[in-house]
């Protein structure tokens, strides 16, 4: 969770003149794995978090590769839950 909170803070406050407070809803969801686009034989684990700020509600997805040698974050996605 600390990594998701830092990512949301970075995404919303980089280059902004005013700082926006961010928070995460406690807990996460282990979402359906996605296929690694560089190697279709590999699947990436996906952790989903929900975040809030003065700018709206957000979904944060962190993508991890796990195998016998490593467990590393290889991607992230932040989606603003809004209707445009």
């Amino acid at each position: 969770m600390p990594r998701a909170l830092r990512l949301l803070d970075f995404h919303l406050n980089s280059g902004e003149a005013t700082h926006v407070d961010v928070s995460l809803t406690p807990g996460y969801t282990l979402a359906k794995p996605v296929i690694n686009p560089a190697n279709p034989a590999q699947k990436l684990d996906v952790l989903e978090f929900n975040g809030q700020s003065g700018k709206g509600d957000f979904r944060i997805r962190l993508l991890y590769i796990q195998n016998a040698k490593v467990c590393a974050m290889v991607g992230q996605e932040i989606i603003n839950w809004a209707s445009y």
Side-chain angles (χ1 to χ4, degrees):
M1 275 189 61
R3 183 171 279 181
L5 186 60
R6 287 193 311 267
L7 179 63
L8 184 60
D9 184 59
F10 173 79
H11 176 71
L12 295 175
N13 289 310
S14 289
E16 295 290 325
T18 59
H19 182 80
V20 175
D21 288 331
V22 298
S23 64
L24 291 179
T25 301
Y28 63 89
T29 301
L30 184 58
K32 183 178 174 182
V34 296
I35 294 173
N36 181 350
N39 182 353
Q42 292 179 332
K43 291 189 177 180
L44 304 175
D45 293 325
V46 180
L47 298 179
E48 286 187 358
F49 299 87
N50 292 315
Q52 304 80 33
S53 78
K55 294 183 178 182
D57 296 326
F58 297 86
R59 181 182 73 186
I60 302 104
R61 292 168 41 112
L62 304 179
L63 286 68
Y64 287 88
I65 184 72
Q66 290 191 54
N67 60 34
K69 297 178 184 178
V70 68
C71 175
M73 188 174 84
V74 294
Q76 66 254 348
E77 168 182 271
I78 297 178
I79 297 176
N80 186 349
W81 286 104
S83 178
Y84 300 101

